[in-house]
Amino acid sequence: MFFFEETKVSDRKTVFSGIQPTGDIHIGNYLGALRNWVKLQDGFDAIYCVVDLHAITVPYDPVALHRSRLDTAKLLLAVGVDPGRSLLYFQSQVPQHAELSWMLSTITSLGALNRMTQFKEKANKAGENLGLFSYPVLMAADILVHKAHAVPVGDDQTQHLELARDLAERFNSRFGDEFPVPEQITPDVGARIMSLKDPTSKMSKSDDDVNTRVLLLDEPDTIRRRFKGAVTDSETEIRYDPEKKPGVSNLLDILSLFTGRSVDALAQDNRSTQYGHFKATVAEAVVEGLSPIRTAFKALDDEEVSRIMVKGALDARMRAEGEMASVRKKLGFDARLGSEG
Ligand code: AQP
């Protein structure tokens, strides 16, 4: 378990995380990961990335990707990622990610990649390709290129993070100590927010049915409609039981995260509330909680955000280049151009 406590700037540990610009960001992404990103800025050297190289592993439209990269960056700023305290950039603008990914791929077993459940799910939906298969290796490189100690993610990323840990250990034992073995930071509540239409699957950007998710930029009436249509069960009691009552339990998780009250207290207070009223209560809490994010997003200027991202990429390149010098040396490459002789 990773403890995040206030530390002196000089001995701060590094956190890294990324988000794909593959569609609109939903409350699952926010509650499972982005809220922690914002919190961790205070005690850590925080590095956050729009992982656009990952986004091209499924069929996509380059024009739409260009827009959604920028919108994803804007949304990260709107939720509270602060470029004054965090390094924020587009993955494709820092070539060391791809370089380290290639190096790590040479110590990755095909068996490990074959076991990745997300590859199987995505390949079934979108078709397979080598990039999708080796996605977890690039994710490991994203983390290790900054020598990150911890990674705030939702629990759907646990299997990928295991591979990153394994590759760090494997590299260290084969070539000498280089990488910290990164810890996962996952919230106790909200690590997996479920689909509103099928509460046994996670809420996902790429689900074909938009009614399954609530987006951070949804209008209040859309949010109310989404919760009104949320699938619950045929009982009448509000009770926290993710196994037997996944729909109601998911709504309790969401309400807890948006109100700051415990799931137990909310379940107790709402024990005999009618499902319809309860869904309306959750919707209002979410409308209120997302309102400052919508306002902040609208106030951001595209050009200003592009400038922030360019500055972030330049800083991230410098930092990654510094880390890569010793990685290259360990692998037998000389970093100095023209020195091969
Ligand atoms: N339902 C979720 N509950 C909690 N956390 C979640 N995350 C994703 N879905 C949930 C976390 O959000 C971060 C960013 O996710 P990502 O963009 O890297 O891709 P993903 O995990 O594949 O997210 P999606 O929304 O399901 O996108 P698609 O449909 O494109 O695959 C990660 O930390 C993730 O754990």
Side-chain angles (χ1 to χ4, degrees), residues 280-308:
T281 304
V282 180
E284 288 318 313
V286 175
V287 166
E288 197 184 317
L290 295 185
S291 156
I293 297 175
R294 259 199 319 277
T295 307
F297 182 88
K298 284 185 189 147
L300 285 162
D301 171 65
D302 284 3
E303 287 201 0
E304 176 58 20
V305 174
S306 296
R307 275 195 293 277
I308 290 172

Side-chain angles (χ1 to χ4, degrees), residues 170-244:
R170 198 175 285 204
F171 186 103
N172 292 346
S173 81
R174 175 136 179 228
F175 300 106
D177 269 356
E178 183 68 33
F179 300 116
V181 179
E183 302 274 348
Q184 177 166 350
I185 298 179
T186 301
D188 292 338
V189 180
R192 183 176 289 244
I193 298 296
M194 309 309 273
S195 153
L196 296 182
K197 286 295 180 189
D198 171 11
T200 59
S201 344
K202 76 160 191 157
M203 187 177 284
S204 171
K205 291 193 214 93
S206 56
D207 196 310
D208 292 335
D209 181 358
V210 293
N211 297 307
T212 56
R213 55 187 174 262
V214 169
L215 307 179
L216 297 196
L217 297 179
D218 271 344
E219 292 297 331
D221 279 347
T222 309
I223 298 175
R224 292 184 185 110
R225 240 188 358 265
R226 298 283 186 261
F227 280 108
K228 197 167 178 195
V231 168
T232 47
D233 52 54
S234 54
E235 298 178 2
T236 52
E237 188 193 12
I238 307 278
R239 179 161 51 84
Y240 193 72
D241 184 342
E243 287 265 300
K244 298 205 182 89

Side-chain angles (χ1 to χ4, degrees), residues 65-93:
L65 177 65
H66 194 258
R67 182 69 237 171
S68 81
R69 290 161 84 235
L70 190 64
D71 282 345
T72 303
K74 284 173 77 175
L75 211 35
L76 293 179
L77 295 168
V79 301
V81 171
D82 171 3
R85 289 185 292 157
S86 295
L87 195 48
L88 176 66
Y89 63 96
F90 293 121
Q91 180 192 33
S92 59
Q93 294 181 340

